[in-house]
Amino acid sequence: MSEALSHLGTWQESLPWQPVPEQHRQFQRLYELILAGNRQLNLTRITAPDEFEEKHLWDSLRGVISLLQSPPGQQVIDIGTGGGFPGIPVAIARPDWQVSLLDSTRKKIAFLHQLILELGLENVGTLCDRAEKVGQDAQHRESYDLALIRAVGPAAVCAEYALPLVKLGGLAVLYRGQLQPEETQALEPAVKLLGGQIEQVEGFKTPLSNSDRHCLYLRKLSPTPIQFPRPPGIPAQQPL
């Protein structure tokens, strides 16, 4: 049996959202399943209970905290989800949203599919593909109210993966660690080219380790030109 998550100080003092007992149970079970899966797959280096709670659960939800009051039925995609973050905590927090977990690693997606069944999450699906290919698929292109992308590359690359998937008026949230003002300025032309604008940049500290975090909120204002996203590998090799 793994150690129990404590939630000490994490939710009550630093996040204006409180998990109900069933959500506490799901977070604990998520932790246990991730630890078990980590023995076969490289899902995360974060395995201590407090670190997991802060850097996976709290961090996932802090990035969307201002959006958790949005109406039911939101279509959300988590790009490069890895071990299911931030998508699964968001799906637990909002069971009336539909969340798609996208990753190109088949073994991770197979694990997540089983994890979703174990957690009883009826509002979560999986996609095994490259973000560049999904962004050109008519079934997914400009189909999501919210795109989440965490720690998968430079900001301009993340924007090229995310904005083609977002509906007009929708939002892409780029989760970052430290962020310099010049990085944001350099991102602006790429975001504009992709049909969006940087609506907000928010910086904050994690509650236990006092680590720097930033989220960039990109609003979709016009259709993304059809040449974006570019073919697989090109965005990472030649960022906008």
Side-chain angles (χ1 to χ4, degrees):
M1 178 69 176
S2 64
E3 294 181 68
L5 299 177
S6 67
H7 304 283
L8 288 176
T10 305
W11 311 111
Q12 285 75 5
E13 296 175 11
S14 58
L15 205 68
W17 176 84
Q18 306 302 321
V20 299
E22 173 61 12
Q23 290 165 328
H24 272 300
R25 186 196 68 76
Q26 288 177 305
F27 286 146
Q28 177 65 36
R29 185 65 181 137
L30 171 61
Y31 175 54
E32 294 165 0
L33 291 168
I34 291 288
L35 287 188
N38 225 28
R39 299 184 190 117
Q40 284 79 40
L41 296 166
N42 182 26
L43 298 169
T44 181
R45 293 168 296 172
I46 299 165
T47 56
D50 284 353
E51 272 199 294
F52 184 90
E53 187 170 9
E54 177 187 55
K55 295 178 180 176
H56 281 326
L57 302 183
W58 186 93
D59 191 69
S60 292
L61 293 174
R62 179 60 181 79
V64 296
I65 197 64
S66 62
L67 308 171
L68 286 181
Q69 302 304 316
S70 299
Q74 299 289 299
Q75 296 290 324
V76 182
I77 187 164
D78 176 9
I79 301 164
T81 187
F85 305 101
I88 289 179
V90 170
I92 290 172
R94 285 299 303 256
D96 55 353
W97 289 2
Q98 186 65 40
V99 178
S100 298
L101 306 177
L102 170 62
D103 203 278
S104 61
T105 304
R106 189 164 297 280
K107 285 184 179 179
K108 288 182 180 178
I109 287 295
F111 166 78
L112 289 173
H113 181 73
Q114 190 59 39
L115 182 148
I116 290 161
L117 293 176
E118 292 265 357
L119 288 173
L121 295 176
E122 297 181 358
N123 63 324
V124 186
T126 58
L127 289 166
C128 186
D129 213 332
R130 295 284 298 251
E132 300 98 323
K133 292 177 72 174
V134 175
Q136 291 289 357
D137 185 333
Q139 185 179 347
H140 297 282
R141 187 177 179 88
E142 300 191 333
S143 295
Y144 295 90
D145 300 287
L146 185 60
L148 310 175
I149 185 162
R150 183 185 186 210
V152 301
V157 177
C158 292
E160 187 171 352
Y161 291 160
L163 279 171
L165 291 164
V166 176
K167 295 176 181 176
L168 291 183
L171 204 61
V173 182
L174 279 53
Y175 289 68
R176 317 296 295 169
Q178 294 189 350
L179 185 72
Q180 302 303 320
E182 54 267 27
E183 292 180 71
T184 305
Q185 292 169 5
L187 179 63
E188 286 178 0
V191 172
K192 186 175 181 181
L193 187 62
L194 294 163
Q197 73 173 19
I198 301 174
E199 183 169 274
Q200 184 181 4
V201 179
E202 188 177 6
F204 47 91
K205 298 279 190 180
T206 59
L208 302 179
S209 62
N210 204 37
S211 301
D212 286 322
R213 292 287 189 276
H214 291 82
C215 279
L216 294 95
Y217 299 88
L218 314 181
R219 182 70 64 184
K220 183 74 165 279
L221 300 179
S222 59
T224 300
I226 193 60
Q227 66 265 34
F228 302 113
R230 292 167 291 169
I234 301 298
Q237 293 164 15
Q238 301 171 26
L240 293 173

